[in-house]
Amino acid sequence: MKPGLSSAAAFLLSAAASMGCQGAPSLEAQRHEPDLLTELMAADPGRFSSLLATADDQRLKIELAIVVEGEDGSPTLERHSFDAGPEYFYPASSVKTCAAIAAALQLRDLGARSGLEGEVSLDTPLRFQPLFEGEVVEEQDASHRDGGTITLAHEMRKVFLVSDNGAYNRLYEFAGNAYLNERMRAAGLESTRILHRLSEFHAPEDQLKTPRVELLRDGQPIAAVPERVRGLDESNAALSGTSIGRGYMRGGELVEEPMSFVQKNYIQLRDLQDMQIMLLRPDVRIPGRPASAGFALEPDDRELMRAAMAATPGGSTDPVYDSEAYPDSYSKFLGPGVWRVLPKDEVTIRDKVGRAYGFSITNSEVTEKSTGRAFFLAATLYHNPNGILNDNLYDYPVADRFLEDLGEVVARHVFGD
């Protein structure tokens, strides 16, 4: 094996080198029976070999689930995986979908508990009471053109359109930390540990506290979720790879030691993908999971999230975004590659991406409109050449090119040229 190569990367490079002029792998490569993802990337070494040579350092993980017809005629999945490097990866904004789902479920539960079932919806105005020193009551959102109120529906649109951190924090606070994690685990997503807000810094134990949130009618409270406090009883200590980098910036100073992610958010990549499938395609049977796995969402709530995931910032009328500041690819990392295979108007991409601390994540559903053929693709990689976190020198364009190219080769395989 070449020095510095993971076993997976070494095989990829040897398989690529064994390709003949017709692209057929040698007998030796065939004996390894590589997974589809390995074959697709090995067949295009010009684009993939450089990054794959350091796949362990990149913590490269990919989950591909192609929707196929099962033996009983119902849709199921053909699954393929690639996994290199330590277990842990930082999921960044990809976990915002967890908060959106949990907030919708919490609202319906609150409506039932309060005798308001059928009277409250994602468009019901909300009032957030202050929790920490310096905070004030919040019930207005100037970006909401329909009334200027805070609603779960509007926060969800902001989350899926431009990955708004403040919107995620409101969804997280409405759901409550314990409830959010319980709903994910009840769906079978056992690896879920959502432990904090985003871009809002508090002590780990304070991140688990969430405020009182009131539902309003004509400006008056009709129901509320109370202030909630959860004990700090979970961490990622059992996972490998939670100490990352060789240093990090704090208060403008370099701390010359790895950053700890023991108290950061986490969800296994397959669980993250299965959450997406449960949300977007509840009709699809997920191998290895019971038929009952999933989320008991109201049809309107599910459709709102499906629509927001498919939309682009420039096409939104509420909220409104500058299409130059937020191009179509802003929240669709696979888009530029998929659009090399199918024109934009012939394909639907529903996704939630994430990016922070050098990690880039996509969690996507790609569907050809005319045929209904579809696949789910989740991927994460860590790219931080200097090993310093919080210096904003992560060279994300490398990750962008990889995810675009990955989207292209998978789309060509599923949809054809």
Side-chain angles (χ1 to χ4, degrees):
M1 185 186 302
K2 293 182 181 180
L5 293 188
S6 68
S7 58
F11 170 71
L12 279 166
L13 295 180
S14 64
S18 73
M19 293 289 181
C21 61
Q22 299 300 315
S26 69
L27 289 176
E28 180 60 26
Q30 290 179 37
R31 286 191 199 103
H32 285 83
E33 295 183 353
D35 181 82
L36 173 65
L37 285 165
T38 301
E39 291 181 327
L40 292 175
M41 291 186 288
D44 197 343
R47 288 196 284 184
F48 295 106
S49 62
S50 177
L51 185 141
L52 290 169
T54 55
D56 284 342
D57 292 337
Q58 307 289 338
R59 300 176 183 237
L60 179 61
K61 304 179 191 303
I62 308 170
E63 292 287 345
L64 171 61
I66 303 171
V67 180
V68 297
E69 185 177 298
E71 293 181 359
D72 62 356
S74 61
T76 186
L77 301 171
E78 173 193 310
R79 306 203 83 154
H80 305 274
S81 300
F82 182 96
D83 190 349
E87 291 175 271
Y88 184 80
F89 72 93
Y90 182 63
S93 292
S94 67
V95 302
K96 291 173 181 175
T97 306
C98 302
I101 293 169
L105 295 172
Q106 176 72 277
L107 177 74
R108 299 304 178 179
D109 285 353
L110 176 61
R113 293 194 304 268
S114 305
L116 296 171
E117 195 167 10
E119 298 182 44
V120 295
S121 73
L122 297 185
D123 290 312
T124 297
L126 304 176
R127 175 185 292 152
F128 286 73
Q129 295 293 340
L131 180 64
F132 300 114
E133 184 177 354
E135 293 185 341
V136 298
V137 173
E138 292 186 337
E139 59 181 283
Q140 298 297 315
D141 184 341
S143 74
H144 192 184
R145 303 183 76 185
D146 184 12
T149 57
I150 298 173
T151 69
L152 292 180
H154 193 68
E155 300 307 298
M156 289 176 187
R157 284 192 288 269
K158 292 192 293 182
V159 155
F160 293 124
L161 286 165
V162 298
S163 201
D164 186 292
N165 285 341
Y168 159 77
N169 292 341
R170 284 173 174 168
L171 297 174
Y172 172 91
E173 291 184 339
F174 184 85
N177 182 276
Y179 184 91
L180 190 163
N181 285 281
E182 288 165 3
R183 290 305 91 204
M184 296 300 109
R185 292 168 189 171
L189 309 172
E190 296 290 344
S191 69
T192 309
R193 276 187 296 279
I194 309 303
L195 302 176
H196 57 84
R197 300 162 177 81
L198 296 176
S199 296
E200 187 174 317
F201 302 102
H202 302 284
E205 59 272 18
D206 287 340
Q207 291 285 14
L208 305 184
K209 300 175 182 177
T210 49
R212 176 182 175 86
V213 185
E214 298 165 345
L215 279 64
L216 307 178
R217 179 186 294 156
D218 299 326
Q220 299 300 313
I222 55 173
V225 287
E227 183 175 314
R228 290 140 292 169
V229 178
R230 183 188 182 198
L232 187 62
D233 58 356
E234 292 192 68
S235 79
N236 301 313
L239 298 177
S240 65
T242 55
S243 294
I244 301 176
R246 63 180 181 86
Y248 61 94
M249 301 300 295
R250 183 176 63 191
E253 300 292 331
L254 175 62
V255 179
E256 296 190 45
E257 62 183 42
M259 177 181 281
S260 173
F261 284 72
V262 166
Q263 294 298 153
K264 296 289 189 181
N265 292 335
Y266 176 70
I267 182 171
Q268 191 180 65
L269 191 64
R270 177 159 288 194
D271 277 355
L272 188 70
Q273 181 176 75
D274 284 359
M275 175 187 63
Q276 190 84 331
I277 296 166
M278 292 172 184
L279 171 63
L280 299 178
R281 290 291 303 272
D283 60 311
V284 171
R285 181 178 61 82
I286 302 176
R289 295 196 184 274
S292 59
F295 306 107
L297 291 163
E298 294 293 326
D300 288 349
D301 296 355
R302 191 185 301 272
E303 186 51 39
L304 183 146
M305 286 184 259
R306 282 173 50 84
M309 278 194 186
T312 57
S316 173
T317 58
D318 188 9
V320 174
Y321 297 104
D322 181 348
S323 59
E324 291 189 8
Y326 297 98
D328 289 354
S329 60
Y330 180 82
S331 59
K332 301 193 184 304
F333 292 166
L334 299 181
V338 172
W339 298 327
R340 295 173 201 150
V341 180
L342 292 175
K344 286 184 185 180
D345 61 357
E346 294 181 15
V347 64
T348 300
I349 301 176
R350 294 184 176 91
D351 65 355
K352 185 69 201 76
V353 302
R355 175 161 280 171
Y357 297 118
F359 289 89
S360 298
I361 305 97
T362 185
N363 190 22
S364 305
E365 177 202 36
V366 181
T367 305
E368 184 180 26
K369 294 179 181 179
S370 62
T371 65
R373 291 184 296 180
F375 65 87
F376 289 84
L377 184 61
T380 177
L381 70 158
Y382 171 72
H383 194 73
N384 187 15
N386 69 8
I388 304 299
L389 284 77
N390 280 344
D391 65 354
N392 296 319
L393 298 175
Y394 299 122
D395 199 7
Y396 284 133
V398 171
D400 288 340
R401 287 192 294 273
F402 172 78
L403 293 171
E404 291 171 10
D405 290 342
L406 181 65
E408 179 183 353
V409 297
V410 171
R412 289 197 188 283
H413 172 78
V414 176
F415 302 139
D417 290 331

